[in-house]
Amino acid sequence: MASPLSTISSPNYSIHIGDSSIELLSPFLKKNRFSKIFILVDENSLQHCLPQLVARVKKLSEAEIIELESGEKNKTIEVCTNVWRALGELGADRNSLLINLGGGVISDMGGFIASTFKRGIAFINIPTTLLAQIDASIGGKTGIDLDGLKNEIGVFTNPKELFIFTGFLRSLPRREMLSGFAEALKHGLIADVAYWEKLKSVNIADDVSWDEIILDSIHIKSEIVAADPFEAGRRKALNFGHTVGHALESFFLEGGEATLLHGEAVAAGMICEAWISNQLAGLQENELDDITHTLLQLYGSINVNMISDHRLIELMRHDKKNENGIIYFTLLDAIGKPVINKKVTAADIIEALNYYRTVSQQAMKS
Ligand SMILES: NC(=O)c1ccc[n+]([C@@H]2O[C@H](COP(=O)([O-])OP(=O)(O)OC[C@H]3O[C@@H](n4cnc5c(N)ncnc54)[C@H](O)[C@@H]3O)[C@@H](O)[C@H]2O)c1
Ligand SMILES: [Zn+2]
């Protein structure tokens, strides 16, 4: 069944969702009269999404394509330099448009590239992964990793417009779908217990109404971002699961062999941070069990034997929520009720990691 078109107006731009969202691109391009159009892709969005996009928006057949190699390990300043250079060589000027067609790596990096090239050119996001449609392409955070530290360099900047077409998800591997689903689960945990309950009954292998889920998630995220765009306070709620999650992601990036997807890292991070919430905030034992059980069932457990607690805590010290060397967490007082700026000691973090090890070993045995 074709999904109807919905438009959400955030303070700075509009988000269009639905089967015909892409068709709105033609009038947008006509109205703005960009001097030149560039499309940033990786090999997967090039293969699976670009042909559909160009077939539906004829004007884009004239666009220059800039292709990057996929993966978090390429979210670096070196890759940005290559793109800035390519833009220059291909004749981009300040009236050009960059279209970010891809997952969160493309929208994070493309937004950063566009907002710094010649002091800033226009960009739009056409996210092609569940993670990017639900979360990464919205909210204005863009950037890159530095020496494996997640999103260490970046700027707050907004796309001119956002076009979400869930048809692109048809080619997305199941593991990537699950990775994106973790951010939706996080939205439920920090903002809406009814949404959390609803998501628990979703089987991503079924014929899921993704437009509906994406809309629910975007409403939650954009309401929080509108209230606190630069993360002075309330927006920190969106970081639940990410203090431990980002450290795990960096740890795996350093290791180089096994890949850990962003949502997988956040899912493990949410289990650890739910345990800390039970110790240091109001999260009840039965809610902790519910979160742990749900996430372990969906994500299994990551290989905990190789994880060095010491290195993880070192990585957490770089978290952008910290001040004066103290590690601050976003915790839960209850499902749907986040509490920000909670000081957590290294000893608490180690105990949380031990909790994760214990429950994942139990889950593997059962
Ligand atoms: N800016 C934010 O607010 C924010 C929020 C959450 C996450 N993030 C960032 O987003 C990134 C993760 O995003 P992601 O999971 O989309 O990663 P990604 O961009 O690496 O995409 C995941 C994989 O899917 C492939 N792919 C993309 N679209 C496809 C399609 N339609 N069909 C088949 N394959 C496709 C990609 O090539 C890649 O291999 C991380 O860097 C994370 O830090 C940013
Ligand atoms: Zn995230």
Side-chain angles (χ1 to χ4, degrees):
M1 197 175 67
S3 59
L5 183 72
S6 309
T7 293
I8 301 175
S9 295
S10 80
N12 303 300
Y13 55 95
S14 296
I15 305 169
H16 309 287
I17 310 169
D19 283 342
S20 56
S21 63
I22 285 178
E23 261 92 69
L24 296 178
L25 202 51
S26 295
F28 168 83
L29 296 175
K30 209 164 181 184
K31 189 175 102 195
N32 283 283
R33 299 170 166 277
F34 296 104
S35 55
K36 212 158 183 182
I37 300 171
F38 297 84
I39 307 180
L40 193 65
V41 291
D42 65 20
E43 72 278 9
N44 295 314
S45 60
L46 175 77
Q47 182 190 343
H48 299 293
C49 310
L50 186 67
Q52 289 188 65
L53 180 65
V54 175
R56 291 171 72 171
V57 186
K58 294 283 175 289
K59 171 100 184 126
L60 294 181
S61 53
E62 300 159 18
E64 299 278 4
I65 311 301
I66 301 179
E67 183 190 343
L68 310 181
E69 201 183 314
S70 68
E72 183 74 27
K73 64 177 188 312
N74 298 304
K75 203 172 129 182
T76 62
I77 194 73
E78 289 77 15
V79 173
C80 291
T81 306
N82 290 338
V83 179
W84 285 317
R85 210 165 267 140
L87 285 169
E89 283 164 6
L90 294 167
D93 62 29
R94 289 185 78 175
N95 194 30
S96 297
L97 173 74
L98 183 68
I99 299 179
N100 297 320
L101 180 70
V105 168
I106 292 287
S107 54
D108 273 15
M109 198 155 45
F112 176 68
I113 289 167
S115 61
T116 45
F117 182 75
K118 292 191 194 282
R119 297 208 179 88
I121 62 169
F123 69 98
I124 60 174
N125 288 338
I126 307 183
T128 64
T129 63
L130 181 62
L131 193 139
Q133 296 190 343
I134 249 170
D135 197 333
S137 64
I138 301 139
K141 284 188 180 178
T142 67
I144 50 168
D145 305 335
L146 179 69
D147 301 332
L149 291 176
K150 288 277 304 176
N151 308 326
E152 185 78 344
I153 307 296
V155 292
F156 284 100
T157 179
N158 285 305
K160 272 207 162 302
E161 213 118 330
L162 226 140
F163 302 87
I164 297 178
F165 170 58
T166 47
F168 286 143
L169 302 180
R170 278 183 217 119
S171 53
L172 198 66
R174 180 187 143 79
R175 192 176 164 200
E176 296 290 351
M177 286 297 286
L178 265 176
S179 175
F181 196 61
E183 300 280 15
L185 290 164
K186 178 199 74 181
H187 292 142
L189 288 176
I190 60 157
D192 185 347
V193 65
Y195 186 41
W196 163 254
E197 291 298 332
K198 174 176 147 182
L199 291 174
K200 280 192 333 190
S201 63
V202 168
N203 179 350
I204 69 153
D206 291 347
D207 197 9
V208 177
S209 166
W210 288 112
D211 287 69
E212 206 180 299
I213 292 174
I214 291 165
L215 269 171
D216 283 347
S217 266
I218 292 179
H219 277 300
I220 291 172
K221 180 165 182 180
S222 49
E223 198 254 319
I224 295 174
V225 171
D228 177 21
F230 301 111
E231 204 168 288
R234 193 175 158 209
R235 185 172 179 168
K236 291 178 190 170
L238 289 165
N239 295 324
F240 178 65
H242 283 63
T243 311
V244 174
H246 274 162
L248 285 168
E249 229 185 324
S250 296
F251 186 82
F252 274 71
L253 274 173
E254 278 174 356
E257 311 101 34
T259 55
L260 184 65
L261 302 181
H262 180 73
E264 294 168 341
V266 169
M270 288 195 288
I271 294 177
C272 296
E273 297 183 19
W275 184 85
I276 302 173
S277 300
N278 176 244
Q279 301 292 307
L280 303 183
L283 193 76
Q284 299 296 305
E285 200 80 25
N286 62 330
E287 294 176 295
L288 169 65
D289 290 346
D290 178 22
I291 295 170
T292 302
H293 176 76
T294 303
L295 295 175
L296 277 180
Q297 217 179 26
L298 278 171
Y299 295 92
S301 51
I302 56 181
N303 184 354
V304 281
N305 299 328
M306 53 171 291
I307 294 174
S308 149
D309 293 358
H310 176 73
R311 181 65 192 133
L312 277 185
I313 291 166
E314 231 172 57
L315 288 164
M316 282 177 223
R317 291 197 193 284
H318 290 277
D319 190 277
K320 289 181 279 302
K321 289 190 298 308
N322 296 337
E323 276 172 38
N324 303 321
I326 300 167
I327 305 182
Y328 287 97
F329 275 66
T330 294
L331 300 177
L332 299 177
D333 264 343
I335 293 179
K337 295 209 164 32
V339 46
I340 60 168
N341 296 338
K342 290 292 254 187
K343 271 188 213 172
V344 176
T345 64
D348 292 325
I349 298 169
I350 291 173
E351 276 197 66
L353 293 167
N354 285 336
Y355 169 76
Y356 182 80
R357 291 187 176 101
T358 309
V359 289
S360 38
Q361 266 149 21
Q362 282 165 354
M364 272 190 285
K365 278 190 206 136
S366 65

